[in-house]
Amino acid sequence: YLWIIVMFLSAVWTLIMTAPIHCRGSIIMYCVSSVFQTGMVGYPEALTDPSYKSQILTLTYPLIGNYGVPKDEDGEFGLSKWFESSKIHAAALIVGELSENPSHWSSAKSLDQWFREQGIPGLEGVDTRSLTKKIREKGTMLGKLVVEGTSANDIPFDNPDTRNLVKEVSMKEPKVFNPEGTVRITAIDCGIKYNQIRCFCQRGARVTVVPWDYPLDSNGEAWHYFDGLFISNGPGNPEYCKETVENIRNVACVENPKPVFGICLGHQLLSLVIGAKTYKMKYGNRGHNQPCIHKGTNRCFITSQNHGFAVDPNTLPEAWDVLFTNANDKTSEGIVHNHKPLFSVQFHPEHMAGPTDLVGLFDVFLDTVKDAKEGKTGKTAFVRPRKVLVLGSGGLSIGQAGEFDYSGSQAIKALKGENIQTVLINPNIATVQTSKGLADKVYFLPITPEYVTQVIKNERPDGVLLTFGGQTALNCGVELTKQGVLEKYKVRVLGTPVASIEMTEDRKIFVEKMEEINEHVAPSEAAMSVEQAVAAAERLSYPVLVRSAFALGGLGSGFANNREEMITLVTQAFAHTSQVLVDKSLKGWKEIEYEVVRDAYDNCVTVCNMENIDPLGIHTGESIVVAPSQTLNDYEYNMLRNTAIKVIRHLGIVGECNIQYALNPESEQYYIIEVNARLSRSSALASKATGYPLAYVAAKLGLGIPLPMLKNSVTNSTTANFEPSLDYCVVKVPRWDLSKFLRVSTKIGSSMKSVGEVMAIGRSFEEAFQKALRMVDENCVGFDHTIKPVSEEVCNDVTHLPSHSHTPTDKRIFVLAAALHAGYTVERLYELTKIDHWFLHKMKNITDHEKLLEAYNRDESAMPPEVLRKAKQLGFSDKQIAQALAVRKLRRDWKILPAVKQIDTVAAEWPAHTNYLYLTYHGLESDVVFEQPHVMVIGSGVYRIGSSVEFDWCAVGCIMELRKMGYKTIMVNYNPETVSTDYDMCDRLYFDEISFEVVMDIYEMENPEGIILSMGGQLPNNIAMSLHRQQCRILGTSPEFIDSAENRFKFSRMLDTIGISQPRWKELSDIESAVGFCETVGYPCLVRPSYVLSGAAMNVAYSDSDLEKYLTNAVAVSKEHPVVISKFIQEAKEIDVDAVACDGVVIAIAVSEHVENAGVHSGDATLVTPPQDINQKTMERIKMIVYAIGQELQVTGPFNLQLIAKDDQLKVIECNVRVSRSFPFVSKTLGVDLVALATRVILGEEVEAVGLMKGIGIVGVKVPQFSFSRLAGADVVLGVEMTSTGEVACFGENRYEAYLKAMLSTGFKIPKKNILLTIGTYKVMAYFTVMAVDWPFEEESDCPSKDKQRNIMDYLEENHFDLVVNLSMRNSGGRRLSSFVTKGYRTRRMAIDYSVPLITDIKCTKLFVQVSCDKLTLTTQQI
């Protein structure tokens, strides 16, 4: 390690590191110009670009060297295949982190080795964002690299702008390339890049490259040897190239000049030739995402640039015009003569590195046929719609979650910004988009063609958005188009046309469209029957991937290794779709995604590219994803980018879409997997990862607004027609809740099972990766090897290879941690998993450092500061390192503190006007100042079963109310699918962990007026006491009272003290006394851990063995808090109460009743409000109990109570001092916003008491949305632990109307013919039809074949039943895992697998019959 001082003259600013900086390559002292470059790939090309001569180059993207350096080998025309010149021209390189272990098929050496060979110094460990901001603010500066021990004053500054750098880099003698070429081009080498020569040669030109001062006199011999003159790029000040200017004047300033084309410095030289002026820019443009608008067509192109001087367009002589203008800083990017073949551009159309959008300028030059006025698009003017219908996505389900609340809300905001009236259809009452004040009208109705037609008929919109509500909205829109409804009512589809949507959804058409542009999809066939699918698989050869067309999240998909597996898979897939796709398996290939935006004028950009850490074979929703890609080189990155743009243009998509690729890890071969012509989960992730609001922009483009006219909402000064530069790394990790389901398969693959996802941001992969693992599960400390211990079966747990029968599970990442800890090599793990070496090496870095930390476990004070700092930079939490508070004190003493960095889309190149923030230990200083007081609101974290969009609605409602009250707000959350993580919702958004450590770090920096914990569900409540002990200002109910409610023992004791009835209870002390208690009160008994959400580890025990098993689970979940056992009361009615209180005085109460009996978790229950079956006397007693508990807990803010009623008695079962899942439901149904009320109370405002909320004359029914179809093997049994993934609610004049609408909103279909009713054992079974059916579930061998009757399995497979009602004789609440598979389980499972509507609760069945009796005429027969 060497200490380096980097000095910058302009501000006399010295960068002194608080930790050793690694110095790579040769140790040379330099004092030259320092610049930054914002490209995220292409470092070998940039470093060998002669334009970087004598410059210290800072790369803003922090992770450099990932794909190594290729071998310097000749390609076509004798030019280097990979580099832009024969050597590195940059004087030195400054980066955040250099990859120790590069990974790429083309890599021959590391960047470090290359630098040593070339004698170039490099620095890593620098806060490159701070350095970039300094250069941006002060301008390009002179810099010194000084080795420690040398006096900086001994080395004078040397300004390269005072030297003729062109002379230093230009060749000395002419050289001919492609001598057989037909068009003769003379190229003046001012610092020419090899790819400029290659671009000419590939187009059939003979290129003679001549030195910078080569004479070109029209009378001389050289004049006759070229047909056109090209002037290359180069370094330095154009004023020093006087000889070159004179030589060009001899060619250009004549009556009939030969065509002249200049690039970069060549552009500046041509401008000087014609008498225009050039000037030095403040810090120049260097990167791969500079947007340039072509004058005349107004088309915007993304370009690669590297220059520090520019041309003043105001000094152009007559007959010359501007050709391109930079859309950001408005500088001239090109000039053209109005009638002579002379033009030049400031950017690099030859790319290398960067995009190839304008490489066609070489064709223009060689053809000499194009001028600035050609190529107008001639688009017809858009008629702006007056009223737009937005289709939502309905209830949250696996594969279609909260991301559509985010995208729909953005779309509505965009439309409102254009003064367009909005009408929304969405039955998901928990969403932000269905709140008052967003859409002009909201219909809580099923998103089905019938209901949408009714709304269109009533509202008469003239436009509709189909791409903001997931597959539900898309399928509905396609059906409405086919039925002619949109045409009949003159409703125009905004954005992507339905024809384009169908091209992407129908595999056969999609393949044909790709073949038209010579692009390839994975070998695949579409099939309309089982027979066709099996035949296709045999033609493609096994293994194959089966997928359903028109489905979301890989529904009905899987891998088949043989004919038997194929038939099983396809039969189930046809239950969900009319067409299946059979793809050749590409397991083990890399999976890459690009998010693409295109407007109606053909302006097109790729906003974000993402790389799946898991190779192909695991659905992208199940995979850990990193953005931007880490292991693609510049060629691959731009090859896939160009393909994405070509495909999207060909399909005619307008707005936003997503394209997925399979990339061969050993070559440049790729296949297109699919295109999603709508906003998707990846779109929400890309929006949050880059800060580019994709949904908002897509909605504006749907109105016909050109992309260049839209502003980048982060900078407020640059255009939205750009491609974001990231100077950080983003990691997405999915969240599974498979433990909540009985018999569910934990294997993950091509079909999605995850219920949510998190996004972590860091300046190293390790930092972001470990953050993300903790975000997914607050009980996980990071990349932990103890969660899933390594065993002989480790191979089976992690392998993706088709030759193995096992597939990865939801715990596979922890299997990798255990394997690395146990000494598995990276190479061995790569063979097993096909996860790229680069990622595996990064994971190994964590494991290696963990072993180092273990040496200091007993005495962390003996730990050297650099070991602790490195641990924090690798993403270790305090808790992971040692006892948290001890490490926290140590960190503060050693000044090892996080820095706050902004996400600004432009890698600090432009000032950011937003506060979208994250914490990192790879920083010297924070991007923001902490001056004004804010109120801090903690969000709900990852979507999981039990904590979903309803808590996001509460958090957003709280922030909005605070802003109305005049408070500045801070939001802390890390869920990319939410509206609360939209940076324009609050004054400061911290996209980071919700843990004691991180919240405390933010609190200490921001010093807010207080923290509101009660709006984010269970997660914030869990850290209440820890924050309270550190004297944090907690607003609302005191954490001590929160603990009194959350701690089961304290709460039960409190109820006894104040005389409120509850089921008999006992705190767990040991198993014996627990068994004794249960025998005394009688089974069943309920096991209840403390501080848990959605009934985690809560179970009903029916026997001693049940009890023992459940107590073990509960203690594991609730390690630091007590577990209580209580009597489980059967056949009781459950009541939910949501309330708001101020200093213990209750000011608002909302009561909801469950349709199901007590024992079904409130999140899985059907709720009705206002209650229809509770009498006045009971209501008064409920109020009395609520008042008493509110007073005892001194509640200030929201709280929720659950009670049970039986035999005219009310008993309290639990209290949550926070918002609950039903807050949005009761607020919207009863017409009082409880969150706004609670927020005002928490901040100490006086509010008028509302009392018992009686509603506004309508009845609301909330119905759960389940995702059992995605959870192979899971039993459809409801109990005290929650299993639903979402909810919908609808309104009606009575509960029957509301219930029917709500059921239809979950995908339920009203039966038209046969219903199978099974009650208890299969001796009691009714079948509503005229035909008798014997039980045999499957064929029985002892039955004579001629007498065989069809069995139930046959009927279920053939979709013979429209509805299955399966009622267990056992009371609800218990989910006992039988040792054998019952026929009841198999019937329920088959109903799900074959998409047959299923009801499993007696009370719901009764309600359904009451709803249906007017609609269905049934005959019943006992069998």
Side-chain angles (χ1 to χ4, degrees):
Y1 292 153
L2 292 158
W3 286 92
I4 305 292
I5 299 173
V6 185
M7 303 184 70
F8 293 93
L9 181 65
S10 177
V12 198
W13 184 61
T14 308
L15 183 69
I16 309 250
M17 289 295 156
T18 54
I21 301 173
H22 299 213
C23 183
R24 306 286 181 159
S26 295
I27 313 306
I28 299 173
M29 286 168 273
Y30 268 106
C31 44
V32 288
S33 175
S34 57
V35 296
F36 65 84
Q37 199 247 60
T38 62
M40 295 183 290
V41 288
Y43 54 84
E45 294 87 347
L47 289 163
T48 52
D49 179 352
S51 295
Y52 280 118
K53 173 72 176 173
S54 293
Q55 292 181 336
I56 299 174
L57 176 60
T58 299
L59 297 179
T60 61
Y61 186 67
L63 308 180
I64 302 298
N66 299 6
Y67 52 86
V69 177
K71 182 183 176 187
D72 190 3
E73 55 188 319
D74 280 351
E76 51 185 346
F77 313 113
L79 296 163
S80 173
K81 185 176 178 182
W82 302 103
F83 304 119
E84 288 303 284
S85 68
S86 60
K87 65 177 185 177
I88 297 174
H89 284 280
L93 181 67
I94 298 176
V95 299
E97 178 186 310
L98 180 70
S99 182
E100 298 273 355
N101 303 103
S103 173
H104 195 269
W105 61 268
S106 69
S107 176
K109 63 189 79 164
S110 70
L111 187 57
D112 182 28
Q113 288 171 305
W114 190 39
F115 268 44
R116 289 179 192 278
E117 288 170 9
Q118 300 253 337
I120 304 293
L123 299 181
E124 70 166 328
V126 176
D127 184 348
T128 51
R129 183 176 175 83
S130 293
L131 190 51
T132 299
K133 286 175 70 180
K134 192 66 67 174
I135 296 171
R136 182 190 80 204
E137 288 158 12
K138 304 295 182 184
T140 302
M141 308 178 220
L142 297 179
K144 294 183 186 182
L145 264 65
V146 184
V147 178
E148 190 188 24
T150 306
S151 170
N153 296 327
D154 291 348
I155 302 168
F157 281 103
D158 175 20
N159 188 349
D161 286 346
T162 61
R163 299 187 347 238
N164 186 345
L165 297 177
V166 168
K167 183 178 181 180
E168 294 177 29
V169 298
S170 180
M171 63 167 52
K172 307 305 176 200
E173 296 293 331
K175 186 173 180 181
V176 176
F177 294 87
N178 193 30
E180 293 78 31
T182 52
V183 181
R184 298 169 303 170
I185 300 296
T186 289
I188 302 175
D189 176 14
C190 300
I192 196 165
K193 289 169 64 183
Y194 285 163
N195 206 42
Q196 291 171 349
I197 303 169
R198 188 182 293 112
C199 283
F200 283 120
C201 294
Q202 284 172 338
R203 288 159 175 78
R206 176 186 194 271
V207 182
T208 305
V209 181
V210 299
W212 71 284
D213 56 355
Y214 194 76
L216 296 169
D217 190 336
S218 60
N219 299 317
E221 191 179 342
W223 175 259
H224 303 287
Y225 284 97
F226 66 90
D227 303 314
L229 179 66
F230 172 71
I231 318 159
S232 83
N233 64 292
N237 189 338
E239 301 279 356
Y240 284 95
C241 299
K242 290 186 169 55
E243 295 93 327
T244 316
V245 170
E246 285 307 313
N247 288 331
I248 298 168
R249 189 172 279 125
N250 291 335
V251 177
C253 298
V254 295
E255 190 60 37
N256 294 305
K258 292 186 177 182
V260 176
F261 174 30
I263 287 177
C264 197
L265 182 71
H267 163 66
Q268 297 155 21
L269 293 174
L270 182 61
S271 302
L272 291 174
V273 164
I274 63 173
K277 287 188 167 56
T278 59
Y279 62 93
K280 185 173 173 62
M281 301 172 76
K282 186 175 179 183
Y283 54 87
N285 286 331
R286 294 175 181 87
H288 304 162
N289 63 344
Q290 292 289 332
C292 295
I293 296 176
H294 175 237
K295 187 175 178 182
T297 63
N298 279 332
R299 286 274 305 281
C300 191
F301 299 90
I302 304 300
T303 65
S304 184
Q305 301 199 9
N306 174 18
H307 63 98
F309 288 81
V311 173
D312 182 354
N314 298 317
T315 61
L316 290 177
E318 279 187 38
W320 284 83
D321 205 350
V322 169
L323 181 58
F324 290 93
T325 302
N326 190 299
N328 286 342
D329 62 15
K330 309 304 179 212
T331 55
S332 168
E333 292 283 357
I335 59 171
V336 63
H337 196 282
N338 288 337
H339 52 267
K340 292 180 181 179
L342 311 172
F343 74 102
S344 61
V345 291
Q346 183 62 75
F347 50 82
H348 283 266
E350 85 287 351
H351 56 95
M352 293 292 272
T356 62
D357 294 22
L358 285 168
V359 72
L361 288 175
F362 286 91
D363 298 293
V364 171
F365 175 56
L366 291 171
D367 297 342
T368 62
V369 293
K370 187 174 180 184
D371 63 44
K373 295 185 179 177
E374 279 187 347
K376 291 190 177 179
T377 57
K379 292 272 181 188
T380 54
F382 269 77
V383 179
R384 182 82 46 107
R386 166 188 53 83
K387 184 193 279 189
V388 171
L389 177 66
V390 180
L391 298 188
S393 63
L396 269 62
S397 59
I398 290 175
Q400 187 163 280
E403 63 270 16
F404 297 110
D405 183 28
Y406 163 70
S407 57
S409 302
Q410 287 275 309
I412 292 164
K413 275 187 204 172
L415 295 171
K416 285 185 79 172
E418 299 295 325
N419 295 317
I420 291 168
Q421 210 179 333
T422 52
V423 178
L424 171 69
I425 306 179
N426 194 354
N428 191 338
I429 201 156
T431 54
V432 174
Q433 63 182 245
T434 54
S435 299
K436 265 186 186 171
L438 208 56
D440 295 295
K441 275 194 188 173
V442 180
Y443 284 86
F444 291 90
L445 289 173
I447 301 157
T448 61
E450 299 75 26
Y451 279 99
V452 175
T453 301
Q454 286 300 314
V455 173
I456 289 173
K457 204 171 170 183
N458 291 350
E459 292 290 339
R460 300 297 171 123
D462 41 7
V464 63
L465 287 173
L466 304 177
T467 54
F468 294 83
Q471 201 70 37
T472 305
L474 210 59
N475 290 351
C476 182
V478 169
E479 192 54 39
L480 287 167
T481 306
K482 284 179 182 170
Q483 291 176 11
V485 172
L486 301 181
E487 190 180 354
K488 178 181 175 183
Y489 292 102
K490 297 182 172 54
V491 183
R492 185 158 53 90
V493 174
L494 302 177
T496 303
V498 171
S500 297
I501 293 168
E502 288 181 310
M503 283 174 204
T504 62
E505 295 284 323
D506 187 306
R507 194 64 179 177
K508 187 170 180 294
I509 299 171
F510 181 67
V511 171
E512 288 167 1
K513 295 302 287 183
M514 292 304 96
E515 284 171 353
E516 286 173 15
I517 53 172
N518 201 29
E519 289 295 342
H520 303 288
V521 297
S524 171
E525 293 187 32
M528 309 297 281
S529 68
V530 175
E531 294 73 26
Q532 283 181 14
V534 170
E538 280 163 5
R539 280 192 294 274
L540 292 167
S541 77
Y542 292 103
V544 293
L545 170 64
V546 175
R547 294 187 295 144
S548 303
F550 298 94
L552 188 79
L555 181 64
S557 75
F559 286 93
N561 294 306
N562 51 51
R563 184 186 174 88
E564 292 70 34
E565 289 180 18
M566 184 70 190
I567 291 169
T568 306
L569 256 179
V570 172
T571 306
Q572 290 184 6
F574 276 119
H576 304 287
T577 185
S578 57
Q579 184 192 65
V580 299
L581 317 169
V582 185
D583 298 346
K584 176 67 185 156
S585 171
L586 298 173
K587 270 188 176 182
W589 286 37
K590 291 182 185 184
E591 187 165 359
I592 310 291
E593 294 182 67
Y594 280 71
E595 297 296 321
V596 190
V597 169
R598 177 177 175 269
D599 69 9
Y601 309 94
D602 214 21
N603 296 304
C604 200
V605 293
T606 60
V607 170
C608 183
N609 94 315
M610 294 172 275
E611 177 176 5
N612 288 13
I613 290 179
D614 301 285
L616 208 67
I618 290 184
H619 188 280
T620 186
E622 301 286 272
S623 181
I624 297 176
V625 176
V626 61
S629 60
Q630 301 296 316
T631 67
L632 302 191
N633 65 14
D634 176 69
Y635 181 81
E636 290 163 335
Y637 180 98
N638 284 293
M639 169 181 75
L640 299 181
R641 176 191 176 275
N642 295 342
T643 302
I645 290 173
K646 180 165 81 166
V647 167
I648 272 51
R649 282 178 168 153
H650 187 64
L651 293 173
I653 289 166
V654 174
E656 195 275 345
C657 70
N658 160 279
I659 183 167
Q660 293 169 26
Y661 297 99
L663 178 66
N664 190 327
E666 302 299 330
S667 72
E668 289 158 357
Q669 182 188 12
Y670 67 90
Y671 289 117
I672 296 166
I673 301 172
E674 66 179 1
V675 171
N676 288 310
R678 57 172 170 78
L679 276 294
S680 64
R681 186 182 322 96
S682 299
S683 315
L685 176 68
S687 294
K688 302 297 168 70
T690 60
Y692 190 107
L694 282 165
Y696 182 86
V697 169
K700 294 271 192 184
L701 301 184
L703 299 173
I705 300 170
L707 188 56
M709 282 177 62
L710 298 177
K711 282 268 181 283
N712 174 352
S713 58
V714 176
T715 63
N716 280 337
S717 58
T718 57
T719 176
N721 198 132
F722 80 111
E723 298 185 354
S725 290
L726 278 58
D727 56 5
Y728 49 85
C729 175
V730 165
V731 175
K732 177 219 94 174
V733 178
R735 157 95 188 195
W736 294 273
D737 269 330
L738 300 179
S739 59
K740 287 186 171 288
F741 300 94
L742 294 180
R743 296 194 181 90
V744 72
S745 163
T746 58
K747 293 173 183 174
I748 59 171
S750 62
S751 185
M752 196 172 154
K753 292 180 181 176
S754 60
V755 292
E757 63 189 32
V758 304
M759 185 185 99
I761 308 162
R763 282 181 64 85
S764 70
F765 171 79
E766 297 92 331
E767 183 176 49
F769 177 60
Q770 291 223 81
K771 270 191 192 182
L773 293 176
R774 287 192 293 273
M775 290 169 173
V776 167
D777 182 356
E778 61 278 11
N779 296 315
C780 169
V781 294
F783 191 53
D784 187 354
H785 67 277
T786 64
I787 290 176
K788 184 94 171 168
V790 73
S791 67
E792 290 302 314
E793 286 75 42
V794 65
C795 312
N796 296 331
D797 277 316
V798 296
T799 183
H800 296 72
L801 301 181
S803 57
H804 291 265
S805 58
H806 290 74
T807 50
T809 70
D810 56 329
K811 294 280 186 278
R812 73 197 184 287
I813 204 69
F814 300 111
V815 176
L816 283 171
L820 285 164
H821 198 266
Y824 276 67
T825 64
V826 165
E827 193 54 49
R828 175 70 179 133
L829 288 175
Y830 173 73
E831 286 169 17
L832 290 169
T833 65
K834 294 299 178 196
I835 292 174
D836 193 280
H837 290 86
W838 190 85
F839 295 114
L840 293 171
H841 276 296
K842 291 292 180 186
M843 293 174 198
K844 186 173 181 296
N845 288 348
I846 297 169
T847 305
D848 291 348
H849 202 75
E850 184 184 23
K851 288 179 179 176
L852 178 62
L853 290 172
E854 284 168 2
Y856 300 103
N857 256 359
R858 292 184 183 171
D859 181 14
E860 61 267 12
S861 61
M863 187 188 301
E866 57 268 26
V867 173
L868 180 56
R869 187 186 308 280
K870 181 70 174 172
K872 298 306 289 181
Q873 290 177 338
L874 288 170
F876 283 81
S877 67
D878 289 352
K879 195 172 177 181
Q880 215 172 342
I881 295 167
Q883 293 305 307
L885 286 173
V887 171
R888 187 171 190 83
K889 183 178 183 308
L890 213 54
R891 278 203 296 112
R892 293 172 67 80
D893 290 347
W894 288 342
K895 300 285 187 288
I896 300 173
L897 301 171
V900 177
K901 297 291 182 184
Q902 290 174 314
I903 290 175
D904 60 9
T905 75
V906 290
E909 186 176 4
W910 297 85
H913 292 280
T914 190
N915 285 302
Y916 181 11
L917 312 168
Y918 66 98
L919 270 56
T920 179
Y921 283 86
H922 291 271
L924 284 181
E925 60 182 23
S926 292
D927 287 347
V928 290
V929 289
F930 309 103
E931 291 170 343
Q932 293 177 304
H934 292 67
V935 173
M936 197 163 157
V937 179
I938 310 297
S940 58
V942 64
Y943 283 167
R944 62 183 90 193
I945 289 177
S947 176
S948 192
V949 70
E950 53 279 325
F951 291 110
D952 196 55
W953 179 84
C954 296
V956 169
C958 177
I959 284 175
M960 290 169 76
E961 194 63 26
L962 286 168
R963 295 183 92 175
K964 274 187 208 166
M965 293 163 70
Y967 288 96
K968 290 201 168 291
T969 55
I970 293 170
M971 166 55 68
V972 184
N973 202 358
Y974 52 76
N975 187 335
E977 302 176 41
T978 58
V979 177
S980 64
T981 51
D982 205 357
Y983 54 81
D984 62 359
M985 294 304 298
C986 54
D987 295 289
R988 286 192 171 174
L989 168 64
Y990 281 90
F991 210 107
D992 223 301
E993 294 175 68
I994 299 173
S995 65
F996 163 70
E997 178 189 334
V998 173
V999 172
M1000 198 67 212
D1001 283 338
I1002 296 168
Y1003 184 90
E1004 286 172 348
M1005 287 186 279
E1006 290 281 1
N1007 192 23
E1009 293 182 44
I1011 308 178
I1012 297 178
L1013 298 173
S1014 53
M1015 296 296 172
Q1018 191 63 43
L1019 198 55
N1021 262 13
N1022 289 356
I1023 58 172
M1025 284 304 289
S1026 301
L1027 294 169
H1028 181 59
R1029 289 186 198 110
Q1030 297 298 310
Q1031 282 84 50
C1032 287
R1033 292 179 289 278
I1034 307 294
L1035 302 178
T1037 309
S1038 161
E1040 286 169 356
F1041 286 115
I1042 294 173
D1043 186 55
S1044 296
E1046 290 284 352
N1047 183 311
R1048 299 285 188 195
F1049 171 71
K1050 288 183 182 177
F1051 182 63
S1052 294
R1053 191 177 57 186
M1054 183 197 84
L1055 291 181
D1056 286 348
T1057 307
I1058 60 175
I1060 288 175
S1061 180
Q1062 62 180 314
R1064 289 180 64 185
W1065 67 280
K1066 183 185 191 322
E1067 184 186 14
L1068 169 69
S1069 50
D1070 58 78
I1071 300 288
E1072 270 180 52
S1073 62
V1075 170
F1077 168 79
C1078 292
E1079 284 170 355
T1080 305
V1081 299
Y1083 284 105
C1085 284
L1086 184 62
V1087 176
R1088 302 159 67 87
S1090 300
Y1091 281 95
V1092 294
L1093 185 76
S1094 73
M1098 197 183 287
N1099 274 297
V1100 178
Y1102 285 83
S1103 66
D1104 291 354
S1105 61
D1106 280 354
L1107 182 69
E1108 210 164 316
K1109 184 173 72 178
Y1110 296 151
L1111 285 174
T1112 308
N1113 292 348
V1115 170
V1117 166
S1118 190
K1119 288 173 188 159
E1120 297 164 23
H1121 305 290
V1123 174
V1124 163
I1125 307 154
S1126 61
K1127 170 67 183 162
F1128 178 66
I1129 297 171
Q1130 298 174 297
E1131 306 284 328
K1133 183 176 194 64
E1134 191 163 340
I1135 297 159
D1136 255 61
V1137 181
D1138 292 304
V1140 175
C1142 179
D1143 296 324
V1145 178
V1146 176
I1147 54 173
I1149 299 177
V1151 180
S1152 309
E1153 60 183 344
H1154 290 207
V1155 170
E1156 297 86 348
N1157 280 335
V1160 173
H1161 190 280
S1162 60
D1164 286 351
T1166 304
L1167 258 62
V1168 180
T1169 196
Q1172 304 294 293
D1173 292 335
I1174 300 176
N1175 60 34
Q1176 190 57 39
K1177 182 183 167 191
T1178 306
M1179 206 61 112
E1180 288 303 320
R1181 286 171 58 212
I1182 290 169
K1183 280 168 66 178
M1184 186 195 76
I1185 289 169
V1186 174
Y1187 286 137
I1189 291 176
Q1191 186 64 48
E1192 190 66 22
L1193 290 172
Q1194 282 296 292
V1195 177
T1196 296
F1199 69 113
N1200 162 267
L1201 273 177
Q1202 282 158 33
L1203 307 97
I1204 49 173
K1206 186 177 182 184
D1207 302 332
D1208 212 23
Q1209 281 191 324
L1210 280 172
K1211 294 181 190 291
V1212 173
I1213 46 179
E1214 76 172 3
C1215 174
N1216 295 301
V1217 186
R1218 54 169 170 79
V1219 291
S1220 75
R1221 194 172 298 99
S1222 47
F1223 258 65
F1225 170 58
V1226 295
S1227 294
K1228 291 175 186 177
T1229 307
L1230 303 176
V1232 177
D1233 187 340
L1234 289 182
V1235 164
L1237 195 66
T1239 304
R1240 292 201 296 275
V1241 165
I1242 288 168
L1243 269 298
E1245 277 205 5
E1246 280 192 31
V1247 295
E1248 198 177 324
V1250 176
L1252 181 68
M1253 292 157 56
K1254 297 189 176 164
I1256 48 178
I1258 57 167
V1259 178
V1261 175
K1262 178 167 85 76
V1263 168
Q1265 173 89 51
F1266 295 100
S1267 298
F1268 286 112
S1269 60
R1270 295 193 172 274
L1271 301 166
D1275 193 359
V1276 191
V1277 179
L1278 305 184
V1280 292
E1281 189 164 356
M1282 187 172 160
T1283 56
S1284 61
T1285 52
E1287 61 189 36
V1288 295
C1290 292
F1291 306 133
E1293 292 178 10
N1294 54 52
R1295 68 180 124 172
Y1296 308 116
E1297 182 191 338
Y1299 180 69
L1300 179 62
K1301 287 178 188 169
M1303 286 294 280
L1304 291 170
S1305 297
T1306 65
F1308 188 89
K1309 292 183 177 64
I1310 297 172
K1312 292 183 180 160
K1313 43 178 186 176
N1314 305 323
I1315 299 174
L1316 174 66
L1317 170 63
T1318 62
I1319 305 171
T1321 69
Y1322 279 85
K1323 292 171 184 169
V1324 186
M1325 185 168 57
Y1327 171 33
F1328 294 87
T1329 185
V1330 292
M1331 178 181 158
V1333 178
D1334 273 340
W1335 164 240
F1337 193 84
E1338 295 168 294
E1339 299 297 342
E1340 293 170 7
S1341 56
D1342 57 351
C1343 182
S1345 58
K1346 62 177 181 178
D1347 298 323
K1348 269 189 189 176
Q1349 286 186 306
R1350 311 207 63 205
N1351 59 54
I1352 295 294
M1353 196 172 180
D1354 290 336
Y1355 284 117
L1356 283 165
E1357 275 185 4
E1358 292 165 11
N1359 283 318
H1360 188 73
F1361 299 116
D1362 283 356
L1363 173 66
V1364 173
V1365 179
N1366 178 267
L1367 304 175
S1368 169
M1369 291 292 268
R1370 180 166 47 76
N1371 288 296
S1372 62
R1375 297 194 296 140
R1376 295 160 71 194
L1377 181 54
S1378 306
S1379 56
F1380 61 94
V1381 174
T1382 64
K1383 289 174 178 175
Y1385 159 71
R1386 294 182 68 184
T1387 304
R1388 291 189 291 274
R1389 195 59 241 176
M1390 285 186 73
I1392 293 296
D1393 290 340
Y1394 292 106
S1395 292
V1396 181
L1398 173 70
I1399 302 177
T1400 61
D1401 182 84
I1402 182 68
K1403 290 288 194 77
C1404 288
T1405 307
K1406 185 180 170 188
L1407 184 55
F1408 174 71
V1409 170
Q1410 288 169 319
V1411 167
S1412 306
C1413 58
D1414 294 336
K1415 297 180 178 293
L1416 301 173
T1417 307
L1418 302 171
T1419 61
T1420 182
Q1421 204 172 14
Q1422 183 70 39
I1423 52 175

